Amino acid sequence: MAAFVTRFAPSPTGHLHRGHAYSALSAWTAAQQARGRFILRIEDIDRIRCRPEYEAGVFEDLAWLGLSWEAPVRRQSEHMEDYGRALRELAERGLVYRCFRTRKEIAQATLSAPHGRMDAFRGGPLAAAEEARRLEAGEPFAWRLSLEAAERALGGFERLAFVEEGEGPGGERGEVRVRPELGGDVVLARKDVGVAYHLAVVVDDALQAITHVIRGQDLFEATHVQRLLQALLGLPAPVYRHHRLLMGPDGKRFAKRDRSETLRELRARGMTAARIREELGFV
Ligand code: GLU
């Protein structure tokens, strides 16, 4: 087994921009330096937002940047069974519960909490009879991780940590203690999507034997819940290297939601891959 395996795991919901190039080049360069392996994974579980033309764009843009990756490329939408199995395991052990609340109800519940945050919801299962009634009525629900059950299963979160070799947004480095309460009872599966990002990503990082997760600081906080899921599922914990986020000239970060210039637009305007690499600090 290679001692160093890293990955770039884009979701094909838009064309790649400089921020993606920075992430991909960071992971690829680290693999080269360590004489390790570089894996490209397509995270396309959200069938509504992901499109084939964006996936084709990922391959085109990365090849243009001069990267190479292992084949075949794992496409998450083709492996839903793997994530379903992990979810069933959590369900059988009582670590997840069905949540029937609507987005609006969640927002209201978290607003009234002392440090209300939309994504830090904590609830619990309904009484069996009420749950049966709602299931019978065909009401949609999401599977949420129960932090309470997780804490019981692990005998507390005190010893849970991950290793940060890069830097978190608050300068976090070294051994970082996991704080699951940051994310609350996160959603691990929904009726429409089947599985949520956190669960799919930890299953795949383990299946692909990823030793180093190299990605932007926007995902630093996600590492807390991901490390918790690894512990619950008995999966190995990779080392994390979060990198700074690239800012555009307006001081805002490059994101596909904005109209930041995509790599394909830059290419069409005559920008060369060598210049992009240089601009991003990879010479
Ligand atoms: N698919 C995620 C994204 O596009 C990244 C997942 C990860 O690197 O853990 O933001």
Side-chain angles (χ1 to χ4, degrees):
M1 204 169 80
F4 190 104
V5 187
T6 191
R7 66 356 177 241
F8 176 57
S11 300
T13 56
H15 286 299
L16 302 186
H17 50 75
R18 279 187 180 85
H20 293 107
Y22 187 79
S23 258
L25 282 163
S26 298
W28 187 80
T29 307
Q32 299 294 305
Q33 283 167 354
R35 293 176 185 275
R37 295 168 51 202
F38 173 76
I39 286 173
L40 171 64
R41 179 199 303 152
I42 299 293
E43 302 211 324
D44 60 347
I45 44 176
D46 185 342
R47 302 308 289 154
I48 297 166
R49 292 175 59 227
C50 294
R51 296 213 209 122
E53 64 264 35
Y54 293 140
E55 185 190 295
V58 168
F59 295 131
E60 212 177 295
D61 291 344
L62 296 184
W64 176 70
L65 280 173
L67 307 198
S68 52
W69 52 88
E70 294 182 7
V73 168
R74 184 173 171 93
R75 198 181 274 127
Q76 290 190 324
S77 60
E78 293 170 353
H79 300 277
M80 297 307 279
E81 192 36 47
D82 290 333
Y83 317 126
R85 205 175 306 123
L87 184 67
R88 276 197 302 281
E89 182 187 332
L90 295 173
E92 277 158 19
R93 291 163 56 203
L95 296 167
V96 289
Y97 62 88
R98 290 187 183 88
C99 176
F100 292 86
R101 296 193 204 217
T102 60
R103 260 174 223 276
K104 208 167 142 198
E105 286 168 343
I106 295 286
Q108 274 157 1
T110 45
L111 268 181
S112 56
H115 300 287
R117 281 185 39 177
M118 173 74 185
D119 50 358
F121 170 79
R122 297 200 53 176
L126 292 173
E130 172 70 2
E131 182 174 291
R133 190 189 64 72
R134 288 178 180 236
L135 281 176
E136 181 73 17
E139 283 185 34
F141 63 85
W143 284 106
R144 282 183 185 271
L145 176 66
S146 165
L147 283 192
E148 200 186 305
E151 190 162 10
R152 236 180 296 123
L154 296 176
F157 297 138
E158 290 73 28
R159 289 194 313 273
L160 204 56
F162 62 89
V163 175
E164 176 60 57
E165 284 187 352
E167 198 173 79
E172 300 88 341
R173 275 167 187 278
E175 195 162 288
V176 180
R177 236 188 87 184
V178 169
R179 294 171 58 205
E181 70 282 2
L182 290 175
D185 288 355
V186 291
V187 169
L188 294 186
R190 276 185 207 286
K191 211 173 179 185
D192 51 350
V193 179
V195 62
Y197 157 66
H198 292 304
L199 188 57
V201 87
V202 300
V203 167
D204 281 354
D205 284 341
L207 274 174
Q208 298 190 299
I210 302 298
T211 61
H212 291 73
V213 170
I214 300 172
R215 61 186 182 188
Q217 282 176 347
D218 52 329
L219 290 166
F220 180 79
E221 214 178 287
T223 312
H224 289 270
V225 58
Q226 291 173 15
R227 180 69 194 93
L228 172 58
L229 287 171
Q230 288 155 359
L232 292 171
L233 291 165
L235 304 175
V239 165
Y240 290 85
R241 286 188 191 170
H242 289 93
H243 61 69
R244 68 185 174 93
L245 298 178
L246 280 192
M247 298 297 167
D250 55 356
K252 290 201 194 116
R253 54 176 277 228
F254 284 102
K256 44 195 164 183
R257 298 184 278 288
D258 314 331
R259 293 243 186 85
S260 28
E261 287 177 306
T262 61
L263 297 179
R264 70 173 29 223
E265 279 163 356
L266 292 170
R267 185 159 68 238
R269 286 214 328 261
M271 175 68 115
T272 63
R275 261 181 60 207
I276 287 275
R277 292 173 72 117
E278 196 185 317
E279 187 190 294
L280 299 178
F282 298 90
V283 268

